[in-house]
């Protein structure tokens, strides 16, 4: 797993590789760092994740929970696997969690504030 | 006493005069008598008779016995004959007859007197010997009485005298020799026992046996004595004499009291116990003792319980038999306490459950096995009812869960999963979280080699990941294996963890909507959705999860992907 926190227009946490309980704590602390920098919202680019399980998803969803309690938003760039798992967990339409197909869209969505139940803004 | 009735023992003479002194004294006496007679003869004609010599013989016989008497006799005869008879009558014609008559008279007189004196002397010595022997045996008796702490007494009714032995005086703490009355004796008796002793003595005077134990007070100290007496009665039933013994039994009594107290304590504890207690012979298993609770539990009185065998108090159906019981007894004898449940049988044949604690014990210096028995019928019934209820609940859960998951989550037994799994293709052990990745890739290889489509391999890996993560998280690791049947591939993950409680199963399988309460539920949701079927067997000894993915025609026909990135 490789994690990179990028500071551009928005804070972006880029995660690549396989996530399981052996390394999920690194993801947790990276997300915590991002939260400290941008408590109103940031982007998690999970499109490069090749494997993730319930523990990993829970860690991401914990970050979302923290953000929403403060009125923030989490834009998640998800792979097909993650989308499917979120569906299974009934976690696709959580308030404050925006699931996007690309980093570009995710940044735009957060910046514009145009997010809601309709999800990530489409081009 | 025997040597007194036998021959004279000269050693008693030597107490006054050594034996040898008799001989010189005899000679001195004869010389003295001769000198006296010579001096007297001119004025006293009778001095010519042998009487003085006979008197000397008599005296010597009396004082010194036979030897000196014979010496006195012979020397006396010679001197008498020579210095008187011969000297006086020799010049005369008829002197021979007179001399003969004098010697004869001497012989006769001296013999008779000497013999009688020896006899008198002997009998006197004999009496002295008897008295001495009596004194000695009295001494021995006194010593024996001191050693045995037994005193004796004698009542002489004729002379109205009561004699106590020295030891009796000592036992009663009265100075030896103090004049005694019945009242003196009564006064020494413990006030609580006085009436009793008085009654018993009066009964003895009427002819009843007298053998009693009572207390006396000696120097403010309470002592116990045992008294026995034998009374001799006259024709009219009057007491003629009595002889009795007094024995100090204080130590015996104290030891007995201590023993009785300790026995009573032991009994009290034994009988107060809430559990039935059997004392078994370690060799035969036979019951040697039993407490009151045994009566309540088994219906045998403690008396009946003694001699019961293990068979008698066991249901008899294997393994609740004499042989099994004896094995447990032997193990307990080797010092390992045995605690086990046992099917017991009471006097009426009723079978009931007990919990038995067998322990080696030493009772009264003997090796014994103690069996502490508790009736657990109620507990057993409750346990059985609980188990039944548990099974019903589980049954209900299984059916509900199966229905709620469209038949995808099947709660079953581990043997069933092993049976369904099919041929084992590979097995891995896992202990650490960082081994997860390697095993995922191993499973991936196997699945691909079977021609499974890429997206389905991905799903299998995610589902397997959940099961393996659970084993690592909740059980510290376990075994992962891949199996294959004709129509499906199965990943089996087993662990020896605490299992999933039955009550948590609905949460795991049925919860709708996203919850952050636990990843266990999330994991199972994922497994159920991604797999064709999930088998789950779980109890206190561990959990087995079987993840079944059907092999489809599309899987088999699909060509293995090259250089794919996992799950993308």
């Amino acid at each position: 797993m490789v994690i990179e926190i990028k500071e551009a227009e928005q804070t972006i946490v880029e995660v690549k590789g396989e996530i399981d309980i052996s390394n999920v704590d690194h993801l947790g602390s990276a997300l915590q760092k991002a939260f400290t920098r941008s408590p109103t919202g940031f982007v998690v680019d999970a499109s490069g994740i090749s494997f993730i399980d319930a523990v990993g998803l829970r860690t991401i969803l914990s970050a979302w929970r923290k953000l929403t309690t403060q009125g923030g938003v989490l834009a998640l760039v998800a792979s097909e696997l993650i989308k499917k798992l979120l569906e299974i967990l009934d976690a696709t339409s959580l308030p404050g969690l925006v699931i996007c197909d690309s980093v570009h869209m995710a940044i735009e969505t957060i910046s514009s504030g145009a997010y809601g139940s309709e999800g990530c803004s489409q081009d | 006493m025997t040597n007194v009735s036998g021959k004279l023992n000269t050693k008693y003479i030597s107490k006054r005069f050594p034996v040898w002194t008799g001989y010189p004294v005899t000679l001195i006496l004869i010389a003295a008598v001769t000198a006296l007679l010579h001096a007297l003869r001119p004025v006293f004609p009778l001095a010519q008779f042998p009487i003085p010599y006979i008197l000397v013989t008599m005296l010597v016989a009396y004082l010194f016995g036979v030897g000196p008497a014979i010496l006195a006799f012979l020397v006396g005869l010679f001197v008498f004959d020579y210095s008187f008879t011969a000297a006086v009558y020799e010049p005369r014609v008829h002197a021979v007859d007179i001399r003969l008559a004098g010697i004869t008279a001497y012989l006769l007189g001296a013999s008779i007197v000497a013999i009688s004196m020896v006899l008198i002397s002997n009998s006197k010595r004999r009496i002295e010997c008897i008295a001495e022997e009596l004194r000695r045996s009295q001494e021995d008796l006194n010593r024996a009485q001191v050693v045995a702490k037994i005193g004796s007494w004698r009542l002489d009714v004729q002379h109205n005298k009561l004699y106590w032995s020295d030891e009796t005086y000592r036992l009663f703490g009265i100075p030896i020799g103090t004049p005694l009355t019945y009242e003196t004796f009564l006064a020494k008796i413990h006030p609580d026992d006085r009436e009793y002793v008085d009654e018993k003595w009066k009964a003895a005077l009427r002819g009843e046996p007298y053998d009693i134990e009572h207390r006396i007070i000696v120097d403010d100290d309470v002592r116990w004595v045992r008294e026995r007496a034998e009374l001799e009665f006259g024709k009219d039933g009057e007491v003629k004499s009595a002889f009795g013994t007094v024995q100090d039994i204080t130590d015996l009594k104290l030891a007995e009291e201590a023993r009785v107290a300790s026995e009573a304590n032991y009994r009290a504890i034994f009988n107060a116990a809430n559990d039935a207690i059997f004392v078994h012979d370690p060799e035969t298993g036979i019951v040697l003792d039993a407490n009151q609770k045994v009566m309540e539990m088994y219906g045998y009185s403690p008396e009946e319980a003694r001699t019961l065998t293990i068979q008698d108090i066991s249901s008899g159906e294997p393994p609740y038999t004499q042989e099994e019981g004896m094995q447990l007894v032997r193990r307990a004898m080797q010092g390992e306490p045995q605690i086990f449940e046992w099917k017991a049988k009471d006097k009426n044949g009723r079978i009931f459950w007990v919990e038995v604690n067998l322990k080696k014990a030493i009772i009264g210096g003997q090796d014994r096995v103690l069996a502490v028995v508790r009736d657990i019928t109620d507990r057993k019934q409750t346990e059985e009812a609980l188990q039944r209820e548990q099974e019903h609940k589980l049954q209900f859960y299984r059916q509900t869960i199966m229905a709620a998951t469209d038949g995808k989550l099947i709660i079953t037994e581990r043997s069933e999963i092993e049976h369904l799994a099919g041929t084992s293709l590979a097995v891995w052990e896992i202990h650490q979280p960082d081994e997860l990745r390697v095993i995922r890739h191993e499973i991936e290889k196997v699945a691909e080699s079977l021609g499974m489509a890429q997206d389905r391999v991905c799903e299998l890996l995610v589902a397997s990941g959940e099961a393996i993560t659970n084993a690592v998280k909740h059980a510290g690791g376990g075994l992962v294996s891949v199996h294959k049947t004709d129509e499906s591939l199965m990943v089996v993950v087993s662990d020896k963890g605490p299992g999933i409680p039955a009550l948590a199963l609905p949460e795991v399988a049925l919860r709708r909507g996203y919850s952050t309460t636990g990843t266990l539920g999330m994991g199972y949701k994922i497994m159920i959705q991604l797999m064709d079927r999930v088998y789950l067997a779980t109890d206190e000894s561990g959990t087995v999860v079987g993840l079944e993915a059907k092999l489809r025609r599309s899987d088999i026909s699909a060509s293995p992907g090259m250089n794919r990135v996992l799950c993308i």
Side-chain angles (χ1 to χ4, degrees):
Chain A
M1 181 181 66
V2 183
I3 302 174
E4 208 177 321
I5 302 179
K6 293 178 182 168
E7 289 290 349
E9 203 174 326
Q10 296 294 334
T11 302
I12 300 164
V13 181
E14 192 184 281
V15 194
K16 285 179 177 165
E18 300 177 36
I19 299 171
D20 57 29
I21 45 166
S22 66
N23 57 14
V24 74
D25 289 346
H26 301 304
L27 175 61
S29 46
L31 292 172
Q32 178 60 40
K33 223 177 269 172
F35 175 73
T36 317
R37 285 186 200 168
S38 323
T40 53
F42 55 85
V43 175
V44 174
D45 179 5
S47 57
I49 288 178
S50 56
F51 179 86
I52 192 164
D53 59 9
V55 180
L57 285 173
R58 197 173 123 93
T59 305
I60 295 173
L61 291 170
S62 296
W64 153 74
R65 204 171 192 104
K66 239 183 225 164
L67 282 166
T68 49
T69 48
Q70 308 220 343
V73 65
L74 180 75
L76 179 64
V77 184
S79 62
E80 287 309 308
L81 170 67
I82 290 175
K83 279 185 193 161
K84 178 153 193 180
L85 293 177
L86 288 175
E87 245 167 62
I88 291 171
L89 298 175
D90 287 327
T92 46
S93 52
L94 299 172
L97 177 68
V98 194
I99 297 165
C100 305
D101 291 328
S102 70
V103 178
H104 171 71
M105 284 194 298
I107 292 170
E108 257 184 22
T109 304
I110 291 189
S111 305
S112 67
Y115 51 86
S117 55
E118 60 278 1
C120 198
S121 54
Q122 303 292 314
D123 281 330
Chain B
M1 300 295 267
T2 48
N3 69 337
V4 173
S5 60
K7 101 180 178 10
L8 179 70
N9 194 339
T10 51
K11 68 181 174 180
Y12 295 118
I13 299 162
S14 66
K15 262 190 181 173
R16 285 169 299 174
F17 306 106
V19 174
W20 65 268
T21 57
Y23 299 97
V25 168
T26 302
L27 294 176
I28 291 165
L29 282 173
I30 298 282
V33 165
T34 309
L36 189 68
L37 287 178
H38 275 281
L40 285 174
R41 199 165 51 184
V43 293
F44 191 51
L46 277 177
Q48 288 168 19
F49 287 100
I51 292 166
Y53 292 100
I54 293 169
L55 286 174
V56 168
T57 308
M58 227 168 83
L59 183 67
V60 170
Y62 178 72
L63 288 177
F64 303 111
V66 181
I70 291 169
L71 181 68
F73 170 72
L74 292 174
V75 174
L77 174 62
F78 175 76
V79 173
F80 170 71
D81 182 44
Y82 179 79
S83 68
F84 296 99
T85 320
V88 173
Y89 300 108
E90 202 169 5
R92 302 188 192 170
V93 180
H94 58 282
V96 174
D97 294 338
I98 293 169
R99 190 183 171 190
L100 204 64
I103 291 169
T104 309
Y106 179 92
L107 282 175
L108 273 173
S111 302
I112 292 164
V113 167
I115 289 168
S116 57
M117 285 323 286
V118 166
L119 288 176
I120 290 167
S121 166
N122 274 2
S123 64
K124 184 174 171 249
R125 279 175 202 135
R126 195 169 288 185
I127 287 165
E128 278 170 5
C129 279
I130 291 169
E132 180 68 21
E133 285 295 328
L134 269 177
R135 233 182 353 264
R136 296 188 135 238
S137 77
Q138 185 65 45
E139 259 173 43
D140 288 351
L141 180 66
N142 280 342
R143 260 182 236 141
Q145 291 201 348
V146 171
V147 173
K149 287 188 177 177
I150 297 179
S152 61
W153 55 265
R154 190 161 46 79
L155 180 66
D156 184 346
V157 175
Q158 200 182 344
H159 300 98
N160 195 24
K161 275 189 176 169
L162 178 62
Y163 300 99
W164 275 13
S165 73
D166 291 356
E167 183 61 15
T168 311
Y169 276 109
R170 267 192 293 274
L171 288 179
F172 278 85
I174 297 174
I176 294 170
T178 309
L180 299 162
T181 61
Y182 182 58
E183 282 66 35
T184 326
F185 163 67
L186 272 188
K188 293 303 266 185
I189 294 171
H190 192 285
D192 296 348
D193 292 351
R194 213 168 278 161
E195 204 175 316
Y196 164 72
V197 174
D198 191 35
E199 258 173 41
K200 281 291 191 182
W201 176 243
K202 282 176 180 148
L205 292 177
R206 291 193 301 271
E208 284 174 29
Y210 184 73
D211 185 347
I212 57 171
E213 290 177 359
H214 64 84
R215 288 163 293 178
I216 57 175
I217 294 181
V218 179
D219 304 329
D220 297 333
D221 226 13
V222 176
R223 316 278 308 165
W224 274 94
V225 293
R226 179 177 181 187
E227 283 209 67
R228 272 175 283 195
E230 279 176 11
L231 282 75
E232 196 190 328
F233 295 93
K235 275 182 188 164
D236 303 325
E238 81 280 7
V239 179
K240 284 170 76 182
S241 69
F243 177 80
T245 56
V246 189
Q247 183 180 9
D248 186 339
I249 54 165
T250 310
D251 295 347
L252 218 70
K253 269 281 173 188
L254 292 180
E256 171 70 8
E257 271 171 21
R259 197 190 65 75
V260 167
S262 120
E263 165 74 13
N265 281 346
Y266 162 73
R267 277 283 143 198
I269 295 166
F270 194 52
N271 285 329
N274 269 329
D275 299 323
I277 302 173
F278 292 101
V279 178
H280 289 282
D281 183 313
E283 300 296 324
T284 60
I286 284 174
V287 176
L288 301 172
D289 201 358
N291 69 350
Q292 284 293 337
K293 194 78 184 175
V294 165
M295 172 85 193
E296 252 175 72
M297 216 184 274
Y298 288 82
Y300 292 107
S301 72
E303 289 70 31
E304 288 174 310
R306 288 174 201 132
T307 73
L308 287 177
T309 63
I310 291 175
Q311 190 74 55
D312 294 332
I313 50 176
S314 303
S315 77
E317 60 188 84
Y320 310 107
T321 60
Q322 171 84 23
E323 293 70 40
E324 287 288 327
M326 277 312 295
Q327 275 196 8
L328 292 161
V329 165
R330 275 191 286 273
R331 246 174 272 157
M333 273 309 284
Q334 283 160 10
E336 315 162 30
Q338 303 290 315
I339 300 177
F340 51 89
E341 291 181 353
W342 194 256
K343 247 187 179 173
K345 186 173 75 179
D346 76 359
K347 197 180 174 183
N348 299 321
R350 178 182 68 98
I351 305 290
F352 58 107
W353 275 103
V354 293
E355 184 184 77
V356 182
N357 188 345
L358 278 189
K359 220 176 168 191
K360 181 183 170 180
I362 294 173
I363 299 171
Q366 303 283 317
D367 275 350
R368 298 288 182 244
V369 168
L370 270 187
V372 180
V373 180
R374 185 166 298 180
D375 190 331
I376 53 162
T377 310
D378 291 350
R379 192 177 90 192
K380 270 281 170 182
Q381 279 171 356
T382 313
E383 272 175 17
E384 278 166 17
L386 260 176
Q387 204 178 338
R388 273 198 302 277
E389 196 185 331
Q390 198 73 13
E391 269 164 26
H392 284 158
K393 252 186 205 163
L394 209 61
Q395 193 64 26
F396 171 76
Y397 285 145
R398 280 176 190 168
Q399 287 166 2
T400 313
I401 286 166
M402 212 158 111
T405 57
D406 297 326
K408 285 178 105 180
L409 178 58
I410 295 155
I411 313 283
T412 179
E413 306 297 326
R414 70 183 57 208
S415 56
E416 179 69 10
I417 299 177
E418 283 158 14
H419 172 73
L420 287 169
T423 319
S424 174
L425 300 176
V427 183
W428 304 278
E429 258 181 61
I430 179 153
H431 303 287
Q432 303 293 331
D434 53 18
E435 295 163 349
L436 271 161
R437 189 167 179 275
V438 179
I439 291 176
R440 275 201 306 272
H441 287 274
E442 291 295 328
I443 296 172
E444 184 185 22
K445 278 184 205 160
V446 175
E448 279 181 354
S449 72
L450 290 172
M452 197 179 252
Q454 198 181 320
D455 58 333
R456 304 209 58 232
V457 172
C458 177
E459 288 173 359
L460 178 68
L461 293 183
V462 172
S464 303
E466 296 303 340
I468 300 169
T469 301
N470 284 343
V472 172
K473 252 171 85 177
H474 302 294
L479 279 181
V480 182
S481 52
V482 185
H483 305 255
K484 182 190 171 293
T485 64
D486 288 345
E487 53 199 21
S488 60
L489 182 80
M490 179 128 48
V491 173
V492 177
V493 180
S494 64
D495 67 52
K496 292 191 160 52
I500 304 167
L503 283 172
L505 288 175
E507 155 76 26
V508 162
L510 306 178
R511 189 164 189 130
R512 298 257 178 234
Y514 173 67
S515 156
T516 53
T517 49
T519 48
L520 189 68
M522 285 167 71
Y524 274 92
K525 251 185 195 170
I526 291 169
M527 286 188 261
I528 292 163
Q529 292 299 320
L530 294 181
M531 292 290 97
D532 289 312
R533 252 186 196 154
V534 177
Y535 297 94
L536 173 63
T538 182
D539 57 30
E540 312 82 60
S541 58
T543 300
V544 180
V545 181
L547 302 167
E548 186 184 40
K550 295 260 187 241
L551 292 171
R552 293 165 194 158
R553 206 161 289 143
S554 57
D555 286 332
I556 294 151
S557 60
S559 57
M562 301 291 285
N563 300 324
R564 278 180 303 101
V565 181
L566 184 72
C567 287
I568 294 181

